[in-house]
C-alpha cells in the first residue's frame, strides 16, 4: 500500500468513532431542551400512589426523554409516619433532595435525618428505606438509569384498591427491586 492510500485509510478509520458517537447522540440523547412548570408533570399527570403511601408524584424528566438514562420525579408527601419498606434497586442509583418537610432514611446499616436542603445518595444493591416525619413534605427523586421506576409508579397509581403486601412485593420484583425488610418506624 502506498503512503497516500495508507493515510486515506487511516483518516477514514479516525472518522469512525466520531461518526459512531454522533449516531449514539441521535439515538440516546435528547436533541432539545424542555421546561416543566412548577406543580405540573411532564407526562402522565399527577400520579397518586397507593399502598406503602398515598404520595403524589409528578414526572419532571421521563426515562423516555433520556432513552432510559435517568428519570426525575417531584414527590409531594402526604403520608406522615409512612414510607417504603426496606428494599434494594437492582439496576438504579437513587438520589433524594428534600425541598420541604422532614424524613428519616436508612441506607445499609446507617440512619439519617433529612430536612429541607438536605440530599442523600442511595447506591444500587444497598438496602434502603425512608419514612416521612413531617405532616407534609416535598422531595426531588432521581433514578439513574431510569429503569422501570416510572412503570412502577404508574402501576401503583393505577390500582383501584390498596395493594396487599403480596401485590406490593410482586410490583417491586416486576420493576427491578426487591423488598428485604419492613418500613422504618418513627416515634
Amino acid at each position: 500500500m502506498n503512503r497516500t492510500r495508507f493515510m486515506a485509510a487511516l483518516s477514514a478509520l479516525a472518522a469512525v468513532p466520531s461518526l459512531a458517537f454522533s449516531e449514539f447522540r441521535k439515538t440516546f440523547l435528547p436533541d432539545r431542551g424542555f421546561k416543566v412548570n412548577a406543580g405540573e408533570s411532564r407526562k402522565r399527570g399527577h400520579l397518586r400512589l397507593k399502598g406503602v403511601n398515598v404520595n403524589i408524584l409528578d414526572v419532571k424528566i421521563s426515562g423516555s426523554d433520556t432513552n432510559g438514562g435517568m428519570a426525575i420525579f417531584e414527590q409531594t408527601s402526604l403520608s406522615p409516619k409512612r414510607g417504603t419498606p426496606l428494599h434494594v434497586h437492582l439496576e438504579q442509583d437513587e438520589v433524594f433532595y428534600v425541598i420541604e418537610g422532614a424524613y428519616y432514611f436508612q441506607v445499609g446499616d446507617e440512619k439519617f435525618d433529612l430536612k429541607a436542603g438536605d440530599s442523600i445518595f442511595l447506591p444500587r444493591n444497598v438496602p434502603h428505606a425512608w419514612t416521612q416525619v413531617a405532616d407534609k413534605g416535598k422531595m426531588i427523586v432521581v433514578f439513574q438509569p431510569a429503569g422501570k421506576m416510572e412503570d412502577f409508579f404508574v402501576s401503583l397509581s393505577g390500582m383501584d384498591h390498596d395493594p396487599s403486601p403480596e401485590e406490593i412485593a410482586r410490583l417491586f420484583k416486576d420493576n427491578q427491586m426487591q423488598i428485604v425488610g419492613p418500613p422504618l418506624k418513627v416515634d
Side-chain angles (χ1 to χ4, degrees):
M1 180 179 294
N2 68 26
R3 181 172 170 71
T4 305
R5 280 179 148 175
F6 177 76
M7 293 306 287
L10 197 57
S11 294
L13 282 175
V16 170
S18 73
L19 178 62
F21 181 74
S22 69
E23 288 305 308
F24 171 85
R25 177 144 178 54
K26 287 180 197 171
T27 305
F28 293 105
L29 301 174
D31 59 358
R32 58 187 291 236
F34 54 85
K35 176 188 176 193
V36 181
N37 291 326
E40 293 182 7
S41 184
R42 176 157 167 77
K43 299 181 178 191
R44 306 184 186 273
H46 301 297
L47 300 173
R48 183 176 287 277
L49 304 182
K50 296 177 182 74
V52 297
N53 57 52
V54 293
N55 297 337
I56 298 171
L57 283 174
D58 290 334
V59 177
K60 294 299 184 174
I61 298 175
S62 171
S64 64
D65 293 323
T66 65
N67 208 14
M70 74 172 168
I72 300 177
F73 302 89
E74 182 178 81
Q75 175 181 286
T76 301
S77 302
L78 305 171
S79 305
K81 309 281 191 266
R82 289 174 67 183
T84 63
L86 190 65
H87 65 282
V88 295
H89 293 267
L90 303 174
E91 303 289 332
Q92 294 85 28
D93 296 323
E94 190 173 11
V95 175
F96 286 84
Y97 176 80
V98 178
I99 298 171
E100 66 180 70
Y103 299 85
Y104 186 54
F105 277 80
Q106 178 176 340
V107 184
D109 294 330
E110 295 184 85
K111 295 188 177 161
F112 303 92
D113 292 305
L114 275 74
K115 62 185 179 345
D118 291 340
S119 60
I120 192 164
F121 174 74
L122 312 174
R124 67 189 77 188
N125 293 311
V126 174
H128 61 273
W130 61 266
T131 297
Q132 179 181 335
V133 176
D135 288 337
K136 194 174 142 189
K138 190 172 281 202
M139 296 190 285
I140 297 294
V141 186
V142 179
F143 294 96
Q144 192 283 316
K148 295 183 175 184
M149 293 312 302
E150 192 171 337
D151 294 339
F152 173 73
F153 296 132
V154 167
S155 295
L156 271 180
S157 70
M159 297 183 103
D160 61 1
H161 62 283
D162 274 339
S164 68
E166 294 79 24
E167 288 174 300
I168 290 173
R170 187 171 47 254
L171 275 172
F172 270 71
K173 184 178 180 196
D174 289 348
N175 291 284
Q176 301 171 319
M177 297 177 285
Q178 180 181 2
I179 295 175
V180 295
L184 289 173
K185 297 290 184 202
V186 178
D187 296 330

